[in-house]
Amino acid sequence: MDRLENTARPYAWGSTTAIPELLGTPPTGEPQAELWMGAHPGAPSRLDRGDGPRALSETIAADPEGELGAAAVRRFGPRLPFLLKVLAAAAPLSLQVHPDLAQARDGFAAEEERGVPLDAPDRNYKDANHKPELICALTPFDGFCGFRAPAATAELLAALDVDSLKPYVDLLHAHPEADALREVLTAVLTADRAVMAETVDRAADAAERLAAQDGPYQEAYAAYAAAARHFPGDPGVIAAMLLNHVRLQPGEALYLGAGVPHAYLEGLGVEIMANSDNVLRCGLTPKHVDVPELLRVVRFESGDPGVLRPEADAAGEELYETPIDEFRLSRYVLAPGAEGAALPSGAAQILLCTSGTAVLRDAEGTELLLDRGQSVFVRADERIALHGEATVFRATVVA
């Protein structure tokens, strides 16, 4: 068991208080948006096995099979294939989609062939991997996720009573679902920016009024109005109106697969993702938006956001089921005096305590206390039991 020292990323949209409160540290006054736990080269966690602090990535590179497990190395290579985070949003993140694995490989290869620098602001593909992700709420957590059914979106837009939105309402009524969603999103993102800014401002004012009235889209209107306050005139506000608004309660989660447009708005959550930086942005951002590539990657399908609730097994592990193998997220809600939970071994895992104090005990009887906000790395061959009164998230792989 190795206690991890982790880095908080100071992105502008981050909360100034949520992560310090979780860690029990004083706020710095600067935003702390994400606390990274893992071996991502951008900010690897550090551990100390008696010879000084060392990056987890270096520890894994020195003995991949010993740290990760032979089966995991055969399947995913000699690297930790996931990144675990605490995410603290006080303002909207960019509206975005992620490519699937084939799209990421093709896009990365094409940009490499063209000689686009990895740090170029117009670079789309930072690596050749996909980026499925799961967000689990620790507090009420708001976001946009996936396309709403076109007929429902037409109703939502029509109620705004903005003349420049009426052609989009007509398109949503007149065409099959995929065509309608594609045509409207394309029109929004390719419109004259000055004209669209005026539309956004009028739509935001109308959404603010409708958010004060009872109705099926009251919370959604409030979310769109809030997004417009952060990004006045941004076409992404209208693009977001095509999407479902979702509010997660603590313990609920969302899985975001390839091609699903989404944005996180506000709240504290535990996030896990495949190790990738590939993001194609739609809006709510000053960063580069590559409309043709975005349209190639987006899946123009409507559907329910699919809120996940964990399923508990007989051993007390509550699993958030997802369709991919690079990560597996579960949690244990430990009660005082209850029998300890024995964790499966065979693959590396990261344990994160989000409430209370957990006692971790290995096969030799060595104990380690894990307080709120603290995390540990567990080698593949270590056998660990959890005790105490705490909520502990467990991140590993399906090997």
Side-chain angles (χ1 to χ4, degrees):
M1 298 176 288
D2 297 288
R3 192 183 301 279
L4 294 176
E5 179 184 344
N6 306 306
T7 299
R9 307 306 296 262
Y11 306 136
W13 48 262
S15 168
T16 59
T17 59
I19 287 178
E21 182 181 343
L22 178 73
L23 299 177
T25 58
T28 65
E30 299 296 320
Q32 296 187 40
E34 295 180 347
L35 186 70
W36 286 21
M37 290 155 280
H40 190 286
S45 299
R46 294 166 298 282
L47 51 80
D48 190 342
R49 290 181 175 170
D51 53 357
R54 189 183 191 188
L56 178 57
S57 52
E58 295 177 10
T59 301
I60 290 171
D63 182 14
E65 288 198 1
E67 302 293 341
L68 303 175
V73 171
R74 284 194 301 270
R75 186 153 192 202
F76 305 112
R79 61 184 184 87
L80 190 69
F82 64 82
L83 176 63
L84 183 67
K85 301 178 180 181
V86 174
L87 184 148
L93 284 67
S94 60
L95 187 62
Q96 61 189 256
V97 296
H98 306 304
D100 63 26
L101 190 55
Q103 290 166 338
R105 288 172 175 168
D106 291 347
F108 181 77
E111 289 186 321
E112 288 289 279
E113 185 176 351
R114 296 201 306 272
V116 183
L118 274 175
D119 59 354
D122 59 346
R123 176 99 188 203
N124 292 317
Y125 296 95
K126 308 293 188 183
D127 52 70
N129 199 18
H130 62 165
K131 194 186 178 187
E133 60 190 41
L134 178 79
I135 183 75
C136 177
L138 295 178
T139 66
F141 194 98
D142 275 27
F144 301 132
C145 178
F147 288 110
R148 189 187 298 104
T153 295
E155 179 183 21
L156 180 147
L157 294 179
L160 294 170
D161 195 25
V162 175
D163 286 344
S164 52
L165 292 178
K166 290 178 181 177
Y168 304 151
V169 173
D170 293 339
L171 284 171
L172 291 167
H173 281 307
H175 296 281
E177 175 176 288
D179 294 339
L181 294 172
R182 178 184 290 275
E183 289 184 36
V184 173
L185 184 61
T186 302
V188 169
L189 297 181
T190 58
D192 179 271
R193 289 299 294 254
V195 173
M196 182 51 66
E198 186 176 347
T199 296
V200 171
D201 292 343
R202 291 179 178 176
D205 289 344
E208 192 88 56
R209 291 194 301 272
L210 291 169
Q213 304 173 17
D214 290 337
Y217 305 114
Q218 183 179 16
E219 289 189 351
Y221 286 130
Y224 300 134
R229 286 195 294 273
H230 287 286
F231 296 96
D234 192 309
V237 174
I238 306 301
M241 290 182 177
L242 304 177
L243 308 184
N244 299 293
H245 169 253
V246 60
R247 174 167 293 163
L248 300 177
Q249 296 304 315
E252 296 180 334
L254 283 177
Y255 171 73
L256 288 311
V260 177
H262 62 279
Y264 302 145
L265 303 177
E266 185 176 15
L268 183 70
V270 174
E271 184 182 36
I272 190 168
M273 61 183 61
N275 246 334
S276 173
D277 292 322
N278 288 326
V279 174
L280 290 152
R281 294 176 177 85
C282 308
L284 305 184
T285 179
K287 296 182 179 179
H288 175 63
V289 177
D290 184 336
V291 175
E293 187 65 13
L294 171 73
L295 296 174
R296 190 179 74 86
V297 169
V298 171
R299 293 184 179 176
F300 290 97
E301 306 168 353
S302 70
D304 185 272
V307 174
L308 298 176
R309 296 170 181 84
E311 296 289 336
D313 65 12
E317 183 181 27
E318 300 179 353
L319 175 64
Y320 292 92
E321 190 73 51
T322 64
I324 54 100
D325 295 341
E326 284 94 334
F327 62 74
R328 180 183 185 278
L329 185 70
S330 60
R331 70 174 185 177
Y332 291 85
V333 180
L334 306 172
E339 184 177 348
L343 304 185
S345 60
Q349 50 195 311
I350 292 176
L351 306 177
L352 166 67
C353 179
T354 58
S355 69
T357 299
V359 181
L360 280 60
R361 185 178 301 132
D362 66 16
E364 286 72 43
T366 302
E367 291 188 348
L368 183 151
L369 293 182
L370 198 62
D371 290 326
R372 187 170 184 255
Q374 295 182 332
S375 58
V376 298
F377 174 76
V378 179
R379 284 172 52 100
D381 60 357
E382 288 188 286
R383 296 185 177 277
I384 303 295
L386 293 177
H387 304 266
E389 183 176 3
T391 298
V392 176
F393 283 83
R394 174 177 181 254
T396 185
V397 300
V398 180

